[in-house]
Amino acid sequence: ARAYLANAQYAESLDALDALDIDVAATGATTDFLGLANHLRARAHTGLGAYDAAIAAYTAFLNAYPNLAESVQQRMAEVYTAAGNT
């Protein structure tokens, strides 16, 4: 998913994250992956211009990792601005 993001292949990144979500769910493993994946998912949605989905993913990430609020809130502000919400 990160490699796709690095190459601005946002839809492919989301597809990879969805596949990993299914794999993680199938194993029944508890992992931080799903929380961390929300950050990557938010970046992919932003690249696609799906700003509401990006904000939702960033919010989910912050719920899992509130100690990272400062850096993520800056990205969220950028998404709100891109969406025309100031």
Side-chain angles (χ1 to χ4, degrees):
R2 286 183 188 180
Y4 288 128
L5 282 175
N7 290 312
Q9 295 174 294
Y10 305 116
E12 292 84 352
S13 180
L14 289 174
D15 289 343
L17 289 166
D18 290 343
L20 288 171
D21 286 347
I22 292 167
D23 289 345
V24 169
T27 64
T30 57
T31 180
D32 286 335
F33 166 77
L34 297 177
L36 295 171
N38 282 320
H39 190 269
L40 298 176
R41 193 178 306 281
R43 290 177 50 205
H45 283 303
T46 300
L48 292 171
Y51 301 121
D52 290 339
I55 291 297
Y58 276 131
T59 300
F61 177 78
L62 280 178
N63 288 337
Y65 301 97
N67 58 323
L68 298 176
E70 186 174 333
S71 63
V72 174
Q73 286 174 340
Q74 175 63 37
R75 287 185 184 257
M76 289 176 76
E78 293 168 2
V79 173
Y80 277 119
T81 300
N85 300 319
T86 54

